[in-house]
Amino acid sequence: MLELKKKAIIISLGFVAILLLGTLSCVPQRTKRTGKDTKTSKVLKPVTPGAEAPAVAKSLPDTSALAKAAIPGDTTLNKDGIAVTNTDSTASDTLSNPDDLQNTVQYTSEDSTIMNVDLKEVHLYGNAEVNYGTINLKADYIRLNWITNEVFATGTFDSTTKKMVGEPIFQDGPETYNTKEIRYNFKSKKALIRGIVTTQGDGNIRGDKVKKDNEGNFYIQKSIYTTCNLTHPHFYINAPKIKLVKQKQVVSGPFNLVISDVPLPIALPFGFFPFPKKKEIGTSGIIFPTYGEEPNGRGFYLRDGGYYFAISEFVNASVTGQIYSTGSWGLGVASTYSRRYQYNGNLSLRYNRNRSPDEIQRKIKGTATDDYSIMWSHAPKPRGTSTFSANVNVTSNSYNQVQETNTQKYISNVATSSVQYTKTAGQYLRGAASIRVNQNFGQPNDSTGRREGGKTNISSDFSLGVNQISPFALRNPQGRWYESFRLGMDFNGNYTLTNQLAAIDTSYSSLGFHPVYDQGDFSKSRYGRTELVEFNFKNLGDNILKDAQFTGRYSIPISLPNFKVLRFVNVTPSISMNGEVFTKRYVYAFKGGDSVSIRKEDGIGNEYSFSFGAGVNTRFYGTKHFGGRRLEAIRHTVIPSLSFSYTPDFTGDNYGFYQTVQVNELGKTMKLSRFRGVGNSVGNGLASSVISFGINNSFEMKLKTKSDTAATQFEKVSLLDNLSLQGSYNLLADSLNLSNISVNANARIGKNLNLNFNMNLDPYAYKPDPNSTFNTTGIRMKEYAITQGQGLAGLQNLGFTLGTSFAPKTSEKDKPATGANSTTTQEQRDFVKQNADLYVDFSIPWNVSLNYNFGLTKPGLSNAQLIQAVQATGDLSLSKNFKISVNTGFDFTAFKPTITSLTLYRDLHCWDMSLSWTPFAGNSRRVSNYSFILKVKSSVLQDLKLTRRRSFQDRASY
């Protein structure tokens, strides 16, 4: 009986305790703070219907049943104050509705955590944080409501600093939003925000009141958009309403631009600002044109407007156009492509139809002029056994003169292009193919102002080869002398087109007969002089292709074993076989008197030859000792070389390379080449025995080191890297045995001065050509120049360049980061490398380059042409954000400055400013010009700029 009473008392006390605890749980209680912040962490997890789990987790779904449900009687509070369902299997489960939450809700706080069971709320104080899936929310105060599935966050007022602290930072995946207050619903994914600051692409958006929908779009009131990252931006776009389409673009209603807190009076009805995608070069969109006037050119214009296509992360394209008030127009297509670790490049195609600004000239000529430009650059990443590269720059003669405003492109008179492919197979086989285009744009016509007389050469080359092998050392080489015997094979072909048609030799004095050419093959306008025709489709079929010639060359080089004579002389014997393949041949016939007819025939022909010889070379030194304080000695190194080669006579009829032709009534005959024609000096098939000679010299001095702690006691300094003289002498030639003598030298004077020198000397005399007024060079005589009173040798050309550069030494810590810690991508670094002229390096304090160029050309008896100029380029960083660049020079021949340009660069934080001025154009047909550009750095607002330009075409006064 006593035991039953004790049990009844215990049960009664238990019910009283439960009632008291239930009453207390209905009153919000805040945990008491201690001397140190106590951090609490709770987890609310999604619950499977019918499973045993905490009642709090089951109450998270936002349903009407849950909102009205009462706490069941089988719940208690654990030691943390969390309501927990009893584990008694007989207890009824009134919270068995499906849970709408798909992820675990985790929350922490450093100050305190308060749970209100009746209101189903959790209050978090002090550095609170809530995580739900990809969503992270941090604030000084956060309130969770598991009935409405809402979270509310705001900062708290600090009475010490009189500022709000711990304001909410809301992160949804990669996107981060700084706010003053936020209310977010986990279920609907909608939010109401007050005071938002977020970064999107290159810009950031700030607004007062914001609504977020379940698709991630933001509707912002009283908003600004800017690419300036300062708290108080230098400029911004002010708009009453902005819609932020997640990770795509910003769309605004009416807006105006505010610069330095000064609103501009010009407003636009709407705005569209796309965000560049991280793995793409950009986002498709409209390219706004530039506008202006060419006062003495094509009139008013809209230029370079069009559309940009972001096709993929590997390739993009832009289509732009131009239109002028005089009727001129233009179209252009440009594309950039890149494949990491494989290749990158860009392609540009442009066409312009130009009409004269003079109405009278348009009526007289009746036609417009065409300009075109094809530019292609392809750079492979070295890998595998094959490479493909391209650097194409093909333009019409006057394109740069009419279309370009860039100084260097405008004054450029030449353009070169090449496309190359190489392939190796195994250890010995190799192959290559290339196409090359060389252009000379000619000189401006005084009446039209356009360049005329342009020369274009297009050549296609290919080669196949087998590297030299040692057939006697392929297996188990023993080091025997004959094992060094090697042989290989090379074959290469060339097909050339040019609009400068070669002169046809009709001189009796040089040929020994009067040639009669077939008019279907040769034009009379080419008799005795070259003919320059315009490079177009009409002339391509009528003249250029007829004059084109394919030539294939092959050789079998053989290396014989080397040996030494008298220990110091190296002897290298050699045997070689080479030949050429042609697609056309010449047929000759005696016409009577002293006339011979010449006509062309299509057909494959082959001409070969072989030769053998030997080379000898050695090396010796001369040293002069001084024993001075620093100068210890000067050493002179001499490397003489001598070689001999013999080629048999291949003019015999049994070879078929030459045709024996009667040239006069007396029965005189001559051997004329079936493949090379007449009047050229490229091989004559006769036997030759040539001795080639050369001598190389170098000078260096030996100095004592200045420092006693140096690792070596002496240091070597080069005085003259190379001074060489080379030539040859044909023992079997009937005349003109000695070749021209070439002299070359290069040296590094001190640490910064470089010298390059070259000279070509002709040992034979020249006399005037009595049969041609166009041949100012004259006729080369068989006598030496010294015997005709023309000096030891005739100077054909001479040139030298003296250059130096100065720049401060930079340490590794001063260099910009390009590795793993760099914020730039590999694609961005590749783009900067390909377009270095578009960027300014402020990290270099200063840089100066000086070059002096001297050139003299005087072939034969012609007048000497002299080129003498000094060129100076440099830049100076006046501050870390201000740089000045100068490019100038002086032409001593014309005795006036060369084209001179002065450029100022200013980094204005979120703006770039540049001023380029050309005070001296260097030509009477060009005028001074300038360009001023003030633009926003960000590519998103690249059209937000101020431009004033006066180009080379603007020949009116300022």
Side-chain angles (χ1 to χ4, degrees):
M1 193 67 176
L2 183 59
E3 293 296 330
L4 290 175
K5 289 182 180 181
K6 289 181 178 181
K7 290 182 179 181
I9 293 171
I10 292 173
I11 292 173
S12 300
L13 292 175
F15 277 113
V16 171
I18 291 173
L19 291 174
L20 290 174
L21 289 175
T23 303
L24 292 174
S25 66
C26 295
V27 180
Q29 298 291 326
R30 182 167 180 173
T31 58
K32 183 178 180 181
R33 294 192 61 177
T34 61
K36 297 182 179 180
D37 290 341
T38 58
K39 187 172 183 178
T40 60
S41 177
K42 300 293 180 287
V43 179
L44 305 182
K45 297 182 179 180
V47 180
T48 304
E52 297 178 358
V56 173
K58 289 187 176 184
S59 65
L60 284 173
D62 184 12
T63 61
S64 57
L66 291 177
K68 297 179 182 179
I71 300 280
D74 58 342
T75 60
T76 61
L77 296 178
N78 62 11
K79 62 180 181 178
D80 295 321
I82 305 294
V84 182
T85 305
N86 292 332
T87 58
D88 188 353
S89 61
T90 61
S92 60
D93 188 357
T94 62
L95 302 176
S96 60
N97 290 334
D99 196 335
D100 291 320
L101 291 181
Q102 300 178 358
N103 294 283
T104 301
V105 179
Q106 299 179 343
Y107 61 89
T108 62
S109 65
E110 290 188 358
D111 192 334
S112 57
T113 301
I114 296 178
M115 174 173 289
N116 191 320
V117 179
D118 286 347
L119 298 179
K120 308 299 187 292
E121 290 181 346
V122 176
H123 301 263
L124 307 174
Y125 296 90
N127 292 333
E129 182 176 356
V130 173
N131 289 284
Y132 174 70
T134 60
I135 295 173
N136 175 267
L137 178 62
K138 296 178 181 179
D140 204 57
Y141 169 73
I142 298 179
R143 182 180 69 234
L144 285 168
N145 189 309
W146 57 81
I147 294 180
T148 61
N149 291 319
E150 285 186 359
V151 59
F152 172 82
T154 185
T156 57
F157 182 76
D158 190 340
S159 59
T160 304
T161 61
K162 306 296 183 182
K163 295 180 180 180
M164 294 293 292
V165 296
E167 291 183 332
I169 300 176
F170 181 77
Q171 183 174 356
D172 188 358
E175 306 298 327
T176 302
Y177 308 92
N178 293 74
T179 67
K180 293 183 178 179
E181 183 178 293
I182 183 172
R183 187 184 302 273
Y184 180 78
N185 190 292
F186 290 108
K187 181 179 178 182
S188 66
K189 299 182 180 179
K190 296 180 179 180
L192 291 176
I193 305 172
R194 186 174 66 85
I196 189 173
V197 178
T198 178
T199 299
Q200 298 291 328
D202 292 340
N204 60 77
I205 302 172
R206 311 176 191 189
D208 187 16
K209 296 181 179 179
V210 185
K211 179 182 178 182
K212 176 184 176 298
D213 61 19
N214 56 357
E215 295 181 355
N217 301 319
F218 287 80
Y219 303 85
I220 308 172
Q221 293 183 353
K222 297 181 180 180
S223 55
I224 67 172
Y225 177 71
T226 180
T227 56
C228 183
N229 56 10
L230 296 180
T231 304
H232 190 78
H234 290 126
F235 80 100
Y236 58 86
I237 291 173
N238 182 34
K241 294 181 180 180
I242 279 181
K243 179 181 179 180
L244 171 59
V245 182
K246 186 177 181 181
Q247 298 180 351
K248 291 184 178 180
Q249 64 264 334
V250 170
V251 181
S252 75
F255 71 90
N256 69 305
L257 183 64
V258 179
I259 300 177
S260 296
D261 296 330
V262 178
L264 300 185
I266 301 176
L268 295 178
F270 65 91
F272 173 76
F273 312 101
F275 300 145
K277 298 178 182 179
K278 292 184 177 179
K279 291 188 178 182
E280 294 186 8
I281 298 177
T283 301
S284 300
I286 297 173
I287 302 174
F288 286 93
T290 59
Y291 61 90
E293 179 189 7
E294 292 182 1
N296 198 24
R298 291 167 290 186
F300 295 98
Y301 62 80
L302 288 175
R303 186 184 293 164
D304 298 331
Y307 198 84
Y308 176 84
F309 298 91
I311 300 173
S312 71
E313 62 180 296
F314 306 112
V315 61
N316 64 28
S318 62
V319 180
T320 58
Q322 304 175 4
I323 186 170
Y324 299 82
S325 59
T326 60
S328 301
W329 56 273
L331 288 175
V333 178
S335 177
T336 301
Y337 57 89
S338 176
R339 175 75 70 173
R340 181 175 290 186
Y341 309 124
Q342 295 186 24
Y343 56 80
N344 57 66
N346 54 73
L347 173 67
S348 175
L349 307 174
R350 300 187 184 277
Y351 171 80
N352 280 78
R353 184 75 168 173
N354 303 308
R355 299 185 65 190
S356 173
D358 191 336
E359 185 176 355
I360 298 177
Q361 289 291 333
R362 291 201 301 267
K363 290 183 178 180
I364 294 175
K365 295 185 178 181
T367 58
T369 59
D370 299 326
D371 279 324
Y372 63 88
S373 172
I374 302 173
M375 300 186 70
W376 180 30
S377 175
H378 180 89
K381 305 291 184 182
R383 57 179 297 177
T385 59
S386 63
T387 60
F388 176 81
S389 63
N391 187 7
V392 175
N393 179 17
V394 178
T395 68
S396 57
N397 286 349
S398 57
Y399 181 87
N400 288 344
Q401 184 186 17
V402 176
Q403 307 298 333
E404 288 290 349
T405 57
N406 180 275
T407 302
Q408 296 302 321
K409 291 183 179 180
Y410 180 82
I411 65 176
S412 176
N413 195 40
V414 295
T416 59
S417 306
S418 65
V419 179
Q420 298 176 331
Y421 176 79
T422 61
K423 174 71 176 178
T424 59
Q427 184 178 358
Y428 299 106
L429 298 179
R430 50 184 164 78
S434 67
I435 297 177
R436 300 180 184 276
V437 180
N438 296 320
Q439 289 181 276
N440 185 305
F441 301 135
Q443 299 300 322
N445 186 300
D446 292 334
S447 60
T448 63
R450 298 176 67 85
R451 292 185 181 274
E452 296 179 358
K455 303 174 185 178
T456 301
N457 295 324
I458 302 176
S459 63
S460 175
D461 302 89
F462 71 90
S463 65
L464 298 171
V466 178
N467 295 331
Q468 286 192 348
I469 60 176
S470 301
F472 301 111
L474 294 177
R475 295 183 179 180
N476 302 321
Q478 301 296 324
R480 302 180 182 92
W481 67 270
Y482 57 83
E483 291 180 352
S484 60
F485 173 82
R486 301 188 307 274
L487 78 161
M489 190 276 290
D490 289 291
F491 180 82
N492 60 79
N494 172 269
Y495 186 79
T496 302
L497 298 176
T498 178
N499 66 333
Q500 187 177 18
L501 306 181
I504 299 174
D505 196 348
T506 59
S507 174
Y508 180 86
S509 60
S510 62
L511 297 179
F513 60 88
H514 288 112
V516 179
Y517 292 99
D518 189 336
Q519 294 305 305
D521 297 329
F522 305 96
S523 172
K524 287 187 177 181
S525 59
R526 297 168 55 188
Y527 286 179
R529 64 187 182 91
T530 60
E531 181 183 6
L532 189 65
V533 299
E534 188 175 351
F535 203 103
N536 53 34
F537 287 104
K538 181 179 182 302
N539 290 325
L540 186 65
D542 295 342
N543 296 297
I544 298 176
L545 287 177
K546 285 185 178 181
D547 201 56
Q549 171 75 10
F550 171 83
T551 303
R553 300 179 180 87
Y554 60 89
S555 64
I556 302 177
I558 301 174
S559 297
L560 299 177
N562 301 340
F563 58 91
K564 290 182 179 293
V565 177
L566 302 176
R567 295 179 57 189
F568 303 108
V569 180
N570 300 314
V571 180
T572 307
S574 64
I575 300 176
S576 68
M577 179 178 180
N578 53 74
E580 293 181 277
V581 179
F582 301 93
T583 57
K584 295 179 182 180
R585 64 179 180 178
Y586 296 88
V587 178
Y588 308 93
F590 178 60
K591 302 292 291 184
D594 55 1
S595 299
V596 176
S597 69
I598 303 175
R599 63 183 177 88
K600 286 182 181 179
E601 285 185 353
D602 293 331
I604 303 298
N606 172 44
E607 181 179 350
Y608 63 86
S609 66
F610 55 84
S611 64
F612 58 87
V616 178
N617 67 80
T618 187
R619 181 190 302 256
F620 57 88
Y621 306 90
T623 304
K624 174 65 175 178
H625 294 275
F626 293 91
R629 298 185 58 182
R630 286 208 64 201
L631 180 60
E632 182 69 18
I634 293 181
R635 186 171 70 170
H636 177 201
T637 303
V638 182
I639 307 175
S641 62
L642 188 68
S643 64
F644 170 79
S645 66
Y646 174 76
T647 303
D649 187 350
F650 291 95
T651 61
D653 293 338
N654 55 323
Y655 292 106
F657 305 152
Y658 289 81
Q659 180 182 347
T660 303
V661 183
Q662 182 179 345
V663 296
N664 59 27
E665 296 290 348
L666 300 177
K668 180 182 178 181
T669 61
M670 296 181 64
K671 293 181 180 294
L672 304 180
S673 172
R674 292 183 179 271
F675 305 110
R676 303 182 187 278
V678 297
N680 59 71
S681 59
V682 183
N684 53 15
L686 298 175
S688 66
S689 179
V690 179
I691 297 176
S692 299
F693 53 88
I695 183 169
N696 293 342
N697 300 266
S698 63
F699 296 84
E700 60 183 359
M701 60 181 177
K702 189 177 183 180
L703 299 176
K704 294 179 181 179
T705 56
K706 294 181 179 180
S707 176
D708 295 336
T709 59
T712 58
Q713 185 178 1
F714 297 96
E715 59 179 343
K716 295 180 180 179
V717 178
S718 175
L719 295 176
L720 186 62
D721 295 332
N722 176 58
L723 173 60
S724 63
L725 183 146
Q726 294 177 339
S728 62
Y729 188 87
N730 190 343
L731 298 174
L732 299 181
D734 58 354
S735 62
L736 305 176
N737 305 73
L738 183 61
S739 70
N740 285 4
I741 307 299
S742 63
V743 180
N744 296 277
N746 57 78
R748 185 178 182 88
I749 304 172
K751 294 183 178 180
N752 296 319
L753 193 60
N754 296 308
L755 172 66
N756 290 281
F757 174 85
N758 62 82
M759 181 171 59
N760 189 281
L761 302 172
D762 191 340
Y764 291 96
Y766 282 80
K767 67 178 181 179
D769 186 354
N771 300 318
S772 175
T773 58
F774 300 99
N775 186 7
T776 59
T777 303
I779 299 175
R780 197 182 191 198
M781 302 173 63
K782 298 179 180 180
E783 291 79 12
Y784 289 111
I786 192 172
T787 63
Q788 301 299 315
Q790 297 182 9
L792 182 63
L795 179 64
Q796 296 291 297
N797 57 69
L798 180 148
F800 69 89
T801 301
L802 194 63
T804 185
S805 62
F806 304 94
K809 294 183 179 179
T810 56
S811 60
E812 292 295 329
K813 65 179 182 179
D814 296 330
K815 297 181 180 179
T818 57
N821 296 327
S822 175
T823 58
T824 58
T825 64
Q826 183 62 39
E827 289 81 2
Q828 291 172 329
R829 291 195 290 269
D830 292 339
F831 182 81
V832 172
K833 186 182 298 183
Q834 296 175 16
N835 303 273
D837 57 327
L838 300 179
Y839 297 89
V840 180
D841 190 355
F842 287 95
S843 64
I844 301 177
W846 57 271
N847 181 43
V848 177
S849 296
L850 298 173
N851 287 282
Y852 174 76
N853 299 304
F854 179 89
L856 186 147
T857 303
K858 189 182 180 304
L861 302 177
S862 62
N863 296 326
Q865 297 180 358
L866 183 64
I867 299 175
Q868 186 178 195
V870 61
Q871 192 74 21
T873 60
D875 57 67
L876 173 65
S877 294
L878 302 177
S879 68
K880 67 177 183 178
N881 295 323
F882 194 14
K883 179 181 282 288
I884 180 173
S885 176
V886 179
N887 187 339
T888 186
F890 190 83
D891 188 340
F892 293 97
T893 303
F895 203 76
K896 61 182 178 180
T898 62
I899 187 167
T900 300
S901 62
L902 175 67
T903 306
L904 301 177
Y905 303 97
R906 185 72 169 94
D907 186 347
L908 300 173
H909 187 254
C910 51
W911 293 75
D912 274 334
M913 184 195 75
S914 65
L915 172 63
S916 180
W917 178 39
T918 305
F920 303 107
N923 189 295
S924 60
R925 300 203 57 83
R926 296 192 293 260
V927 297
S928 301
N929 61 90
Y930 66 89
S931 173
F932 174 80
I933 299 177
L934 178 64
K935 64 182 181 68
V936 175
K937 284 184 180 181
S938 172
S939 59
V940 177
L941 300 178
Q942 62 180 348
D943 294 309
L944 187 57
K945 60 183 177 181
L946 174 66
T947 303
R948 180 68 180 97
R949 175 180 288 123
R950 180 172 182 267
S951 66
F952 297 106
Q953 293 83 12
D954 303 340
R955 297 187 177 91
S957 60
Y958 281 99

